């Protein structure tokens, strides 16, 4: 599922890739979301990453907390790290975060803490 940024009111809908519905053949054990009012600019080339440009989507959030969150919900999260993924030649930033209300949020403040708390 993803936010349809090219439609009025930006609804959440089934993701497509190359014109086909996108399905994952494995379980996703995290919550996947975005940072509202952000945008990965496809005209900006990141020279630190061989000149790859943004994917024209909001910045993604991978929330790794202890529970499944409601689709479309808005949550306060604590960022733990960030990584750049290149998907089909486009730069796709991912913020690794934990829901601030998660029972483990106080114990997780870095990626090293993630390894300890979520082995």
């Amino acid at each position: 599922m993803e936010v349809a940024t090219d439609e009025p009111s930006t609804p959440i809908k089934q993701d497509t890739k190359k014109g086909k519905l996108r399905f994952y053949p494995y379980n996703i054990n995290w919550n996947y979301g975005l940072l509202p009012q952000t945008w990965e600019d496809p005209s900006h080339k990141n020279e630190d990453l061989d000149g790859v440009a943004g994917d024209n989507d909001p910045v993604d959030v991978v929330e790794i907390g202890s529970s499944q969150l409601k689709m479309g919900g808005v949550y306060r999260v604590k960022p733990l790290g960030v990584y750049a993924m290149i998907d089909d030649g486009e730069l796709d930033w991912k913020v690794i975060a934990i829901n601030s209300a998660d029972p483990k949020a106080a114990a997780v403040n870095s990626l090293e803490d993630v390894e300890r708390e979520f082995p």
Side-chain angles (χ1 to χ4, degrees):
M1 306 302 279
E2 75 174 9
V3 175
T5 57
D6 58 346
E7 295 184 26
S9 301
T10 58
I12 297 172
K13 59 191 287 185
Q14 177 73 45
D15 189 13
T16 59
K17 188 159 190 168
K18 297 181 181 175
K20 296 185 179 188
L21 294 178
R22 192 171 191 184
F23 294 99
Y24 294 94
Y26 45 84
N27 288 335
I28 296 178
N29 297 315
W30 57 83
N31 295 294
Y32 200 75
L34 60 94
L35 295 175
Q37 299 181 353
T38 62
W39 178 54
E40 297 183 55
D41 186 348
S43 69
H44 175 76
K45 295 184 182 210
N46 188 313
E47 298 309 323
D48 292 330
L49 297 170
D50 297 327
V52 69
D55 69 353
N56 201 31
D57 283 331
V59 174
D60 296 324
V61 175
V62 177
E63 194 280 330
I64 61 166
S66 304
S67 63
Q68 182 176 347
L69 302 176
K70 183 180 175 184
M71 184 184 304
V74 177
Y75 300 90
R76 186 177 302 255
V77 297
K78 178 179 9 177
L80 303 170
V82 64
Y83 69 94
M85 186 177 95
I86 299 173
D87 184 14
D88 284 337
E90 297 176 325
L91 181 57
D92 192 4
W93 287 100
K94 309 287 185 195
V95 175
I96 310 302
I98 188 165
N99 184 341
S100 297
D102 191 275
K104 293 188 175 190
V108 180
N109 296 295
S110 68
L111 293 178
E112 290 78 20
D113 294 343
V114 171
E115 293 291 330
R116 183 187 67 245
E117 295 296 323
F118 297 97

